[in-house]
Amino acid sequence: MTRRLPGLLLLAGAAVLASFLASHALPGDPVMLMVDGRAADPEMIRRLRENAGLDQPLAVQFLSYTLGLLRGDLGQSLRYGGVPVTALLGEALPVTLGLMAGASALALPLGLALGLAAADVRRAWPGTALTIGSVLALSVPPLALATWLMLAGSGTAPWAVAALALPAAAMIARLTRTQLMEVLERDFIRTARAKGLGRAALLLRHALPNALVPLAAAVGSVAGTILTTTAAVESVFALPGIGRLTVQAVLARDHTVAGAAVLVFVLLQVAISLTAELLIGLADPRLRDAAEAP
Amino acid sequence: MPLPAALRTLLTLLAIMAGVCSAAFPAMAGTLRAGLSDDLTTIDPFVFPGLVSSGVLRQVYEGFTAIDAAGNAVPALATRWETPDGGRTWRFTLRPDARFHSGRAFTAADVLWTWEQHLTRKPQPGYSAFYLRGVEGAAALQQGTAAALTGVTIPDPHTLVVRLTEPDALFPLYPFLFVDRGMEAEFGPAWHERASGGTGPFRLTSWRRGESVRLEAHAAYWGGAPAVDAVALAVLPDINTLLARYDAGDLDVAPLPDNAVRTVVRQPRYDGQIKAFARAQVRHLALNQDLYPPFRDRRVREAVGLALDRVATVNGLHAGRAELTNGFVTPGLGGYQPDAVPLPPTDPGRAKALLAEAGHAGGRGLPPLQIAGGPNVREEATYFAAQLTAVLGIPVGVRIQERAAFVAAINEGREALFINGWTADFPDPMDQLATQWHSASPTNRIHWRNADFDRLVERARGLADPAARNALYREAEALLRDQAVALPLPVPQFVALVRPGVTGVVIRPDGTTDYHAARLP
């Protein structure tokens, strides 16, 4: 883990620079947006621009922003009249984490159950049904799926969880089935079957534990997909999470909030990757030992 | 039977998520539930509020005057305002029965405290400092060379005398929000996050950023307690989400964004639930003569106007929910002259002839043009561009930009032909004439300059009699029309879905919704 720290810091730095430049490269004046395009008072416009540091050259703005970040000062929101960015993130983060936790809690058992049900070597239709269903769930653009579920559920939040969970469950189900089908072909399964072990016991006690290692490796990408989809889902369902905060900040040219929100996304992605690695190590100690070997 | 742990966790999370949603729609008797088109940007009455925040804060805070449904200035916290010297000195008689949400009485000292706060706030002044710049001593207080606002005297708790450096007939109409001066001592500098400090019909009791706002009735309101106990506002910027919530019965009032009106009002399931209100907004197709030299010829500008079928857009694009006007003062204001000069009918033949007279028969020698605008005018711009191309032979395209980019482009004078509008901040035509066309205005976005026009609006500013002012406004408007500096476009009404049985909801011409008289079935 410590060996990866410099790389992670570099990644975070690149994310800060990229979001800062991307945000400032957009046409449009954040101060004019703050006043709804109404520039009746030039003095107020000048003071707003000065207080936000927008009258400074871009390099000075970036330096000041980065030094602030290093001190733990994320700055103040332009859109929300000087509210600290940390306060905005503090309000939005629990909503996004709640959504992600809800979606994961729904997707994991659902995906595993569907994968198990479809891993049937005797009949073809469960596998075909899963393939068709998962292709559908993964092919529909997240924004369209979220809109469809929002309309179906009158915009209530549990449907937002479903909008995040369905594609993730489809991914898990496909992976589970593929891994199980492979394990079910191995010799020890044949031996167990020859001993007269029932299908349920065979799957749950022998095949599933062996399929879990590659599954754990895929959890990171599933959780990452859930995370990146939150912006669309939160916007459609009007949920005040980090994703929606980011979209609004970009539209309002609220550079400080947009930059900090992107940084949070990067840190969450890193946390997900590290957690996935930890899970893999727990599932298969050989991999952990190999990773820790000098 | 005990549930498995995983299932318990799942149900708990779902319950939490359901809670996130239901918090915006508390099921409480007497609570009116409405949608908000965007999040508030502030609840601090000293910070520039923007249109959405302003709509909410005006339920909570009040000024000397308010705007009624017809666009007239009506008494609010001042019952009378008089000037003995043509608008240089103003004597306000304040409402004796007005009380703040704290229970404290509203007095002239609160007005003075509010103004001094606006002028002395750091690091930037309050947004009303702009309206106070004419008060004697305002500059000295702002620069720190005076300790008090010397131009204001308080003969008694309910009388306030204001001396201005120059006559300003509009001073009583400016959109001030007076604040309880005891709030800061009681709750500290960030008092607005902890308590409600106005005199309005509703107290602001919660703002969940990006999610909801809750207003509760002010029982001691001078205009009588509101008929509803509370108003729960849910932030729903997406039209599909707004309609889904309305259809599900989660909302009593759903104000519609302009670009959704046409499709929503034509759906039979909303019959009897559509309410439309006049909007104090001017809209025009602006012609920048600096950027596109052919526009310097009046005949070319007039030809553009005659080529457009603006009548067709009222029904075609706005589903009849728009006011056709040929003026530069909005239908939602007291000074509006509905029948002053009717819109000339579309006349392609005359348009072509004028263009030929100007030496551009069939569009010959005219460089290509683009109609610029924000995303909400895409269809209108496309329609007009097609007409200009077909009738005049000028190759006209459409350039729709995201709002921030569009505002930046017109502020920097980079658009030759664009659709723009201006919603009134206070109920007087001055706000629409001077801000858009006076040569010194930073929002004169086509940089048109005319000394006669400037003199007319400057003279009007010194006339305390509204009738005399309106006469000058009519002259100024005629000058704009005669010069064809821009082509007035239909003004869409504010439209909202209102659940059957819900009455008294009013959207004022400035876009703020008034829930004071709202009643639930």
Side-chain angles (χ1 to χ4, degrees):
Chain A
M1 182 92 74
T2 46
R3 278 183 304 165
R4 295 190 57 185
L5 201 59
L8 294 179
L9 285 175
L10 198 67
L11 180 67
V16 168
L17 179 64
S19 67
F20 182 88
L21 291 178
S23 187
H24 282 76
L26 293 173
D29 180 350
V31 172
M32 287 311 297
L33 285 176
M34 282 167 77
V35 298
D36 281 337
R38 304 163 84 80
D41 181 4
E43 172 60 14
M44 185 174 77
I45 302 295
R46 189 187 66 75
R47 296 279 280 273
L48 284 170
R49 188 166 282 120
E50 194 179 288
N51 293 334
L54 296 169
D55 57 334
Q56 299 292 320
L58 199 60
V60 176
Q61 287 185 48
F62 181 68
L63 189 67
S64 158
Y65 178 62
T66 311
L67 289 175
L69 283 183
L70 292 174
R71 287 196 308 271
D73 176 10
L74 298 182
Q76 297 178 336
S77 165
L78 299 173
R79 170 179 152 87
Y80 285 115
V83 173
V85 174
T86 43
L88 296 178
L89 295 177
E91 289 168 5
L93 200 55
V95 176
T96 301
L97 291 179
L99 266 178
M100 288 180 66
S104 304
L106 184 61
L108 206 62
L110 184 64
L112 280 174
L114 289 173
L116 278 165
D120 193 334
V121 288
R122 297 161 303 169
R123 290 167 297 182
W125 71 263
T128 311
L130 178 71
T131 305
I132 294 171
S134 60
V135 165
L136 276 176
L138 292 169
S139 306
V140 178
L143 189 65
L145 180 66
T147 305
W148 190 81
L149 288 173
M150 186 278 294
L151 292 172
S154 301
T156 49
W159 291 81
V161 175
L164 285 172
L166 278 181
M171 282 171 81
I172 293 168
R174 285 181 72 162
L175 279 164
T176 306
R177 180 177 179 270
T178 307
Q179 294 305 322
L180 284 174
M181 294 298 274
E182 191 192 313
V183 172
L184 287 171
E185 292 296 314
R186 291 192 195 161
D187 289 345
F188 75 94
I189 295 289
R190 259 191 235 117
T191 309
R193 198 178 283 134
K195 284 182 177 175
L197 211 62
R199 177 177 149 73
L202 200 71
L203 276 173
L204 294 174
R205 264 197 276 155
H206 295 278
L208 190 59
N210 280 284
L212 278 180
V213 176
L215 267 176
V219 161
S221 62
V222 172
T225 307
I226 291 177
L227 176 65
T228 48
T229 313
T230 53
V233 171
E234 286 170 2
S235 295
V236 169
F237 282 84
L239 295 171
I242 292 276
R244 186 166 168 232
L245 183 72
T246 312
V247 173
Q248 287 178 333
V250 171
L251 287 173
R253 308 296 188 271
D254 196 344
H255 305 312
T256 46
V257 175
V262 168
L263 190 61
V264 168
F265 270 109
V266 170
L267 294 177
L268 284 174
Q269 284 282 13
V270 168
I272 287 168
S273 304
L274 293 176
T275 309
E277 279 183 26
L278 208 65
L279 284 175
I280 294 167
L282 287 174
D284 189 347
R286 287 169 303 176
L287 294 175
R288 184 184 58 210
D289 296 343
E292 285 174 0
Chain B
M1 189 180 73
L3 291 170
L7 189 54
R8 272 208 315 271
T9 309
L10 174 64
L11 289 176
T12 308
L13 283 164
L14 288 177
I16 290 168
M17 291 315 304
V20 166
C21 178
S22 61
F25 308 99
M28 178 185 162
T31 297
L32 185 123
R33 301 154 308 164
L36 267 185
S37 64
D38 200 356
D39 193 15
L40 276 61
T41 52
T42 186
I43 53 169
D44 181 346
F46 292 107
V47 171
F48 185 90
L51 290 176
V52 177
S53 295
S54 177
V56 172
L57 291 180
R58 292 203 166 275
Q59 309 283 319
V60 181
Y61 299 91
E62 298 173 292
F64 289 131
T65 53
I67 182 168
D68 71 5
N72 298 303
V74 290
L77 289 179
T79 53
R80 215 167 56 196
W81 49 95
E82 302 151 295
T83 176
D85 51 9
R88 183 155 188 152
T89 306
W90 285 98
R91 184 184 184 85
F92 293 94
T93 304
L94 304 181
R95 194 172 287 283
D97 54 344
R99 293 203 161 269
F100 285 110
H101 301 147
S102 63
R104 286 185 278 265
F106 164 72
T107 66
D110 296 294
V111 174
L112 179 58
W113 183 84
T114 302
W115 284 349
E116 288 182 342
Q117 288 295 305
H118 274 288
L119 291 165
T120 56
R121 266 175 75 97
K122 298 282 185 274
Q124 71 222 20
Y127 76 95
S128 281
F130 177 65
Y131 294 117
L132 296 169
R133 67 199 185 285
V135 178
E136 273 183 22
L141 180 63
Q142 213 165 8
Q143 287 155 14
T145 55
L149 189 56
T150 53
V152 176
T153 47
I154 300 176
D156 67 67
H158 293 106
T159 307
L160 185 92
V161 178
V162 185
R163 290 182 307 280
L164 305 177
T165 51
E166 287 176 13
D168 187 353
L170 310 173
F171 192 79
L173 310 182
Y174 289 154
F176 297 117
L177 301 176
F178 296 129
V179 176
D180 182 345
R181 71 187 191 283
M183 299 306 283
E184 196 160 305
E186 195 175 350
F187 296 103
W191 60 266
H192 56 273
E193 290 172 7
R194 302 173 59 197
S196 190
T199 55
F202 291 94
R203 293 180 295 125
L204 198 157
T205 54
S206 94
W207 173 34
R208 295 165 70 113
R209 233 186 304 270
E211 190 185 339
S212 63
V213 179
R214 187 170 179 81
L215 304 170
E216 291 185 2
H218 177 199
Y221 182 55
W222 58 264
V228 294
D229 297 330
V231 177
L233 300 165
V235 179
L236 298 167
D238 184 273
I239 179 65
N240 295 311
T241 319
L242 179 81
L243 291 178
R245 294 279 175 88
Y246 181 81
D247 291 344
D250 288 339
L251 294 174
D252 301 306
V253 180
L256 298 175
D258 291 346
N259 51 10
V261 168
R262 189 174 46 151
T263 48
V264 172
V265 301
R266 287 177 176 158
Q267 294 183 37
R269 72 177 191 272
Y270 297 126
D271 283 353
Q273 298 173 56
I274 310 282
K275 305 286 177 205
F277 306 88
R279 180 191 305 238
Q281 188 187 58
V282 278
R283 293 177 73 250
H284 46 255
L285 182 64
L287 309 126
N288 188 328
Q289 300 176 31
D290 290 349
L291 214 57
Y292 192 78
F295 283 156
R296 289 177 195 157
D297 188 326
R298 191 193 176 289
R299 292 168 297 188
V300 177
R301 304 198 297 272
E302 199 181 340
V304 170
L306 290 169
L308 302 179
D309 187 354
R310 284 169 273 184
V311 180
T313 63
V314 173
N315 284 320
L317 297 180
H318 302 291
R321 263 68 176 189
E323 300 259 7
L324 190 65
T325 172
N326 190 28
F328 292 80
V329 171
T330 183
L333 278 187
Y336 172 57
Q337 300 290 318
D339 304 315
V341 181
L343 190 71
T346 309
D347 189 344
R350 173 86 184 125
K352 285 176 187 167
L354 278 169
L355 210 59
E357 272 180 43
H360 301 293
R364 195 180 61 235
L366 289 175
L369 266 173
Q370 286 187 306
I371 300 181
N376 58 332
V377 301
R378 184 185 300 276
E379 289 176 322
E380 197 173 17
T382 306
Y383 180 69
F384 289 150
Q387 281 191 321
L388 292 179
T389 304
V391 175
L392 302 180
I394 314 171
V396 181
V398 171
R399 177 164 48 235
I400 297 302
Q401 300 166 78
E402 187 264 330
R403 181 166 157 70
F406 173 64
V407 171
I410 58 174
N411 279 347
E412 291 160 18
R414 286 190 275 113
E415 297 296 347
L417 186 62
F418 58 91
I419 295 176
N420 193 29
W422 187 270
T423 303
D425 290 304
F426 52 87
D428 190 89
M430 178 70 79
D431 189 38
Q432 299 184 327
L433 292 172
T435 51
Q436 300 287 281
W437 313 111
H438 191 284
S439 57
S441 169
T443 43
N444 176 351
R445 282 159 170 154
I446 61 166
H447 308 293
W448 178 74
R449 283 172 182 79
N450 184 292
D452 292 336
F453 178 87
D454 291 354
R455 269 194 294 277
L456 282 169
V457 292
E458 282 158 16
R459 271 178 56 208
R461 191 178 286 280
L463 295 177
D465 174 20
R469 260 198 331 268
N470 280 339
L472 289 186
Y473 291 149
R474 276 195 290 278
E475 275 187 57
E477 226 184 329
L479 205 153
L480 291 170
R481 200 181 290 115
D482 181 61
Q483 294 278 314
V485 294
L487 309 163
L489 298 179
V491 179
Q493 296 168 329
F494 290 116
V495 179
L497 290 171
V498 179
R499 187 166 303 293
V502 175
T503 58
V505 174
V506 171
I507 302 181
R508 299 190 198 100
D510 61 359
T512 60
T513 308
D514 183 1
Y515 295 109
H516 178 226
R519 283 181 185 277
L520 292 164

